Amino acid sequence: MKVCIVAEGCYPYVVGGVSSWINSMIKAFPDIEFVVLAIVANRSYRGKFVYELPENVSEVYELYLEDYDWVEQEKNKKLHLRQNEYEALRSLLLNRDVEWDTLFTLFEKKNFSLNALLMGEDFLNAVRECYQLRYPQVVFSDFLWTMRSIYLPLFLTLKMELPEADLYHCVATGYAGVIGSMAKKRYGCGLMVSEHGIYTREREEELIRAKWVGGIYKNIWIEQFKKMSLLAYRYADQVTCLYKHAMELQIELGCPAEKIKITPNGIDDQRFVRCLEEERKEDDTINIGAVLRIAPIKDVKTMIRAFAYAKKEAPKLALWIMGPSDEEKEYAKECFELVDLLGVEDVIFTGKVDVTEYLGKMDMTILTSISEGQPLTILESFAAKKTGDCNGCRQLQGADLRGRRFIWGSRDHYTYHECGGDCGSDGRSGMPQRKEDWHGKKRIPETKEPVSCGGYERNIPADLPAIWG
């Protein structure tokens, strides 16, 4: 079986929860051939992998959303769309019953320059109609060039040459969802979409805060992401999310409820046994850990400010910020400078580390983040018997697990089990009632029968440990 993983802005270029999950999942299925189709901003990322690719990854394809038009076009040769092709383009711009199948065929079968399309008469006419119907209050030249910039990354995506696979597994909607939908139309393969965060909501939050775009153009960008997500929901055979509220958001955004499966996060608790055995130092320092990338989405500045405030009331506090700082170097520099500006002591930036070497020393962990799904770092804190908290993730501390489906080890969307018995000290996730309840009780029921999901079957070892969120 061949699976194409479609990842946007993460694996294998960036360390983080989603990237870690992808890497772990690929390693968990050594008998499956994986192809990675990675979507990144531009060619500056080319080949700069921070993960060592597992042996069962046969190829990596890269799609650059800010790229050149490589198709040679005869000088002064114009592109003329057929009537059905123009109507499909018009439906896309107006967001009215978008004729995606026609667009897929157009970009697959017709060899043309994107410059010829974006600068051509057909695109101009479709933009002009959209302008007259919806946005006549703005300057047309600004509107036209903005529409060209909005649609260039989508058109580059539609022009992508796709590897053939039995299953496309998109780790988001957005441009990844467009790729997966196009592959299903082209090859008749299966399509699975896994949302760790709700892509449309995350892009909406970013656009609302963004300074590079304003006015009506924020709304147009948001609408663009919504139509791409709706496409992915329409074509997908199965859509997964991490928890109930995420499912409700997916339904609100147009995903049919019958397609959705809730597959909570999972980690291997045996990795953290060493944290339980490690002795705390004989001092009265209160160590607070934060395992995260130093990036705007993690809102590290708010964490630093909150720590500075708390430090005044509790001088024994120490903050350990554990994670890479090279993804958003300018933001990381601002965080370092903020610590100096506030004059706050005992803030330690460790860089990228093995968390199992540090969690045992912590008294608690925190995670400030603008948007989180079901963060692995909090589950890892629970496995190390550390109190952990994250904005918007309180379900981790009170979800009834009995009688529900869970995945083993990493989030595994191909295989799952029914959880039938006692899933912990009181059948609940999150922090247990007694420390001694953590180990030896959260194991998958023994089975030798193959289980299947997405057309894949596999015998699951009976002794794999797991913690579910």
Side-chain angles (χ1 to χ4, degrees), residues 29 91 146 177 182 206 211 232 288-289 312 336 362 379 425 463:
F29 296 98
S91 71
T146 301
M182 188 163 54
E206 290 174 357
K211 296 179 180 179
I288 304 172
K312 294 177 182 178
F336 302 150
M362 300 297 117
L379 293 179
S425 59
D463 58 349

Side-chain angles (χ1 to χ4, degrees), residues 41-58:
N42 51 56
R43 290 180 179 265
S44 67
Y45 288 89
R46 186 176 184 180
K48 295 180 179 178
F49 305 156
V50 298
Y51 286 87
E52 182 179 348
L53 297 177
E55 291 183 0
N56 55 328
V57 174
S58 59

